Amino acid sequence: MIELGRKIVITAGCSGIGAELTKHMLRCGYIVIPTTRRLERGQAFVDSLEKEFKDLCCPMQLELDEQDKIDDFVDKLSKKYEKIDALVNCAVCRENVTECYDLNIEKWDRHYRINVFGTAYLSAHVAEKTIKKDGAIVNISSFYSVNVPDNRVYDEHTIPTSLIYASSKASLNYITQYMAVRYAEKNINVNAILAGGVENELLQSKIFVENYCYRTPMKRMAHIDEFNKAVEFFVCESNRYCTGQLLSIDGGWGLL
C-alpha cells in the first residue's frame, strides 16, 4: 500500500522495533519523523538508510520523561509540519529490574513517567495540535499487559519481566481505549499492539529461548519485523472504523 507524502511520527524510531517500523513506513511511501533522545543517533540512522529514503526520514529530538520537553517537541513539530497523519508510540522505559516484584518508588516513577504519563501527554498534544482530525495513533504495548508474566521461563542469565514494566503497559492499554473514545468524533483512530517476546541473541540465553518457545504455541519468538503490517493497517487512510483495539501478536502465548 503506497501512501506518498503522508507523515508519521515514530517515537524511539531509530532503534529496535521503532527502527524496523521506520524503515517499513518509508518503504510504504510515508515521510517519517523518528524521535530519538540524541540527534547524533538519528543522523547515524539516516546515514544507514538506502539513498532513496534518506530525504524522507527526518529525525527529531524528544525526551518523554520531562513535560516541558514534550511541549517543546510538539511546538516544533506543529511549526514544521502543517499536519501529521499518525503517531506510533514505541518509546519505552524498560530499565533493568532484576527482582520482578520490586517496589522501589524511584524505579516505578521512572517507568510510569515515560510509559504512562509521557506517552499519554504526547499522544493528546499530537492529536490536538498536529493530527487534528482524520488520523491515527498506535501504541506499542506488551502481551504481558494482559498476561501475568510466566517467570518460570527465565533463568539467571535473563532479566525477568517486572511488575513495574507489565503494569505500566496495562495502563497504556486503558489509555489507548480511553483516547479511542475521546478522539472518535475527530476520526482519529487509537489502537495498540500487544507485542510478544522478540528474539535477541545478545540479551537472551539459550535456556530462556528454549523455555519461551516451549511455552508458545507457535514454538518460536517473534521476529522484530512481524509488527510492521499491523501498524501499516492501523495508520492507513482506508482504516476509518477500527479503533480501541488491543491486538495481540504473540504467537498464541495468551491462549494458554
Side-chain angles (χ1 to χ4, degrees):
M1 181 180 297
I2 303 298
E3 306 214 10
L4 296 174
R6 301 191 79 222
K7 302 174 187 68
I8 182 170
V9 174
I10 301 179
T11 66
C14 298
S15 61
I17 291 175
E20 290 299 316
L21 289 172
T22 293
K23 288 183 280 189
H24 180 73
M25 300 313 293
L26 286 168
R27 290 192 292 268
C28 289
Y30 284 78
I31 295 169
V32 183
I33 302 100
T35 76
T36 176
R37 292 178 65 87
R38 300 196 306 274
L39 280 178
E40 59 268 26
R41 175 181 291 178
Q43 187 57 54
F45 176 74
V46 172
D47 292 342
S48 72
L49 297 173
E50 297 174 31
K51 184 177 180 180
E52 61 186 297
F53 298 130
K54 292 182 187 293
D55 290 340
L56 299 176
C57 185
C58 310
M60 291 182 64
Q61 187 173 19
L62 172 63
E63 296 180 51
L64 281 175
D65 54 353
E66 294 188 40
Q67 190 168 357
D68 59 343
K69 290 185 178 179
I70 299 174
D71 288 331
D72 289 344
F73 169 79
V74 176
D75 286 343
K76 291 176 181 176
L77 184 69
S78 60
K79 289 176 182 177
K80 188 172 182 179
Y81 301 100
E82 182 178 350
K83 176 177 169 54
I84 296 297
D85 298 286
L87 166 67
V88 180
N89 287 306
C90 288
V92 64
C93 176
R94 194 173 187 177
E95 295 180 348
N96 291 353
V97 180
T98 55
E99 169 53 57
C100 62
Y101 190 60
D102 196 321
L103 296 177
N104 179 282
I105 192 169
E106 285 79 18
K107 292 178 182 177
W108 279 73
D109 179 68
R110 173 74 174 158
H111 281 74
Y112 271 68
R113 269 176 173 265
I114 294 172
N115 299 352
V116 182
F117 177 78
T119 301
Y121 188 74
L122 174 69
S123 297
H125 281 254
V126 168
E128 292 164 9
K129 294 185 177 181
T130 63
I131 296 178
K132 301 173 185 175
K133 64 177 183 178
D134 301 327
I137 297 172
V138 182
N139 294 318
I140 304 301
S141 184
S142 167
F143 70 132
Y144 277 146
S145 64
V146 293
N147 299 290
V148 175
D150 187 346
N151 289 309
R152 296 172 300 179
V153 305
Y154 296 91
D155 66 335
E156 61 181 344
H157 302 295
T158 307
I159 297 173
T161 296
S162 68
L163 173 62
I164 302 172
Y165 170 78
S167 63
S168 72
K169 287 299 191 178
S171 297
L172 183 59
N173 292 352
Y174 182 83
I175 289 166
T176 298
Q177 296 186 319
Y178 187 98
M179 288 191 173
V181 174
R182 170 84 176 186
Y183 296 115
E185 64 181 16
K186 295 184 178 181
N187 292 319
I188 299 174
N189 300 327
V190 188
N191 294 286
I193 291 172
L194 279 51
V198 178
E199 60 183 7
N200 187 325
E201 294 181 357
L202 298 178
L203 299 177
Q204 298 157 348
S205 69
K206 182 179 179 181
I207 294 174
F208 165 75
V209 174
E210 289 176 352
N211 289 342
Y212 186 99
C213 293
Y214 177 78
R215 170 68 174 73
T216 307
M218 295 194 76
K219 301 303 180 187
R220 67 175 178 84
M221 301 190 74
H223 304 315
I224 198 168
D225 62 353
E226 290 191 292
F227 313 106
N228 291 350
K229 284 293 183 179
V231 170
E232 181 185 340
F233 165 71
F234 280 143
V235 304
C236 72
E237 281 188 293
S238 57
N239 173 33
R240 294 270 52 90
Y241 207 59
C242 179
T243 194
Q245 299 306 299
L246 308 176
L247 175 63
S248 290
I249 303 179
D250 63 1
W253 176 287
L255 301 175
L256 298 180

